[in-house]
Amino acid sequence: MGLFYAYVIDVALNPLLLSLNRWVVTFQSRAIADEWWRKIDDNPTAQKSKITRISPQLYKNDASTGYQAYDSITEKEDKMFFTALPGRGSYGLTLIPPATITDHISGGTYFIRSQSSPDIYWCVKDDKFIHASRTERTKFRIRIKGASTEGKVMIGSDDIQITLAFGDLKTNTNDSNVLVAGKKAETYKFSDFSGGFMIQGAKGPDECGRESSEVDKIYKTDQGEIWELTN
């Protein structure tokens, strides 16, 4: 995914003037948008109460506190910027493109699928290995490791644990780096979904041109592919 956009609206002003204090925020990527929000969400000061995340593409700012949303930009100046929107009654305003995405919330349940081949999903079979499958899929619960992390937006640097959404099986890696479901919960990085897991074997048609429905197991690697979380 390329550039990612969000609206920020100031809710503190008179409704007649509300449109004079709206911004479109352009992020280098959806990941940068999530990192920006986590910086705000994790801030130990009252900054968190001044900006509220409604959805991945909509935030509200209470400027009556003396804090403007764009004041949050520090080290990410080159990866995001604010653009003021014209006032009420302006014509020719183009809406930002809505993004069909799954919100990455700690403690949520997700299917995991290949970005390059969206019909391939992670699936736990009777052998307890995690397979890549075109015919079956398993829902997983993904959470940031540690206490009081439920509901937080997950970002690449987070330590996470992956469990089955139902039951008590947890994801770990065996001696062959293959992912299995068992009693032990291994810690991964959320960024592992962007290059840390790979299918052990070919994904495409076999040597006779037949499309295989089962495409082997998932293993941990440093040169993997990109996986998407879906609901």
Side-chain angles (χ1 to χ4, degrees):
M1 182 180 291
L3 294 177
F4 186 79
Y5 305 91
Y7 289 115
V8 176
I9 186 167
D10 186 355
V11 298
L13 302 181
N14 185 297
L16 294 177
L17 301 177
L18 193 60
S19 61
L20 298 179
N21 289 271
R22 301 175 301 171
W23 299 269
V24 168
V25 193
T26 302
F27 298 94
Q28 182 181 7
S29 67
R30 182 262 180 91
I32 294 297
D34 286 346
E35 290 173 12
W36 170 72
W37 170 248
R38 270 291 298 278
K39 175 188 170 184
I40 295 171
D41 192 35
D42 291 343
N43 195 308
T45 70
Q47 179 178 335
K48 178 179 176 180
S49 66
K50 301 168 186 175
I51 304 178
T52 304
R53 186 179 191 265
I54 307 301
S55 74
Q57 289 192 289
L58 181 61
Y59 298 80
K60 64 180 181 180
N61 177 208
D62 185 357
S64 66
T65 61
Y67 185 88
Q68 297 284 1
Y70 48 72
D71 292 334
S72 63
I73 299 180
T74 55
E75 74 278 2
K76 296 192 181 300
E77 297 97 339
D78 59 336
K79 297 182 180 180
M80 59 178 288
F81 61 88
F82 282 72
T83 302
L85 291 175
R88 186 184 298 276
S90 298
Y91 297 96
L93 177 63
T94 301
L95 298 179
I96 64 174
T100 304
I101 59 174
T102 299
D103 214 357
H104 298 157
I105 302 299
S106 177
T109 59
Y110 308 93
F111 295 110
I112 304 171
R113 71 181 182 188
S114 166
Q115 185 182 81
S116 59
S117 300
D119 61 329
I120 296 178
Y121 286 82
W122 286 23
C123 174
V124 179
K125 295 187 175 292
D126 292 339
D127 60 8
K128 297 299 186 291
F129 286 107
I130 297 178
H131 293 257
S133 174
R134 287 189 171 92
T135 59
E136 300 177 77
R137 56 185 177 176
T138 299
K139 205 161 200 179
F140 296 87
R141 188 176 303 280
I142 304 172
R143 58 166 52 91
I144 302 170
K145 184 179 178 180
S148 303
T149 65
E150 299 291 305
K152 282 188 172 294
V153 173
M154 294 182 286
I155 60 175
S157 59
D158 285 332
D159 291 324
I160 62 165
Q161 293 182 328
I162 307 169
T163 64
L164 270 67
F166 307 101
D168 59 356
L169 292 178
K170 305 169 179 64
T171 301
N172 58 82
T173 306
N174 69 10
D175 293 340
S176 300
N177 286 331
V178 177
L179 270 60
V180 298
K183 295 183 178 180
K184 183 182 78 171
E186 187 163 337
T187 299
Y188 303 97
K189 289 290 186 183
F190 189 68
S191 59
D192 284 336
F193 289 116
S194 298
F197 301 112
M198 191 70 177
I199 296 175
Q200 190 180 49
K203 294 189 300 180
D206 61 19
E207 63 275 8
C208 297
R210 296 171 301 202
E211 197 75 22
S212 173
S213 61
E214 303 309 320
V215 287
D216 226 323
K217 301 165 186 171
I218 304 294
Y219 71 100
K220 186 71 181 70
T221 177
D222 293 331
Q223 298 180 335
E225 61 177 286
I226 298 176
W227 299 89
E228 299 176 332
L229 307 185
T230 72
N231 296 124

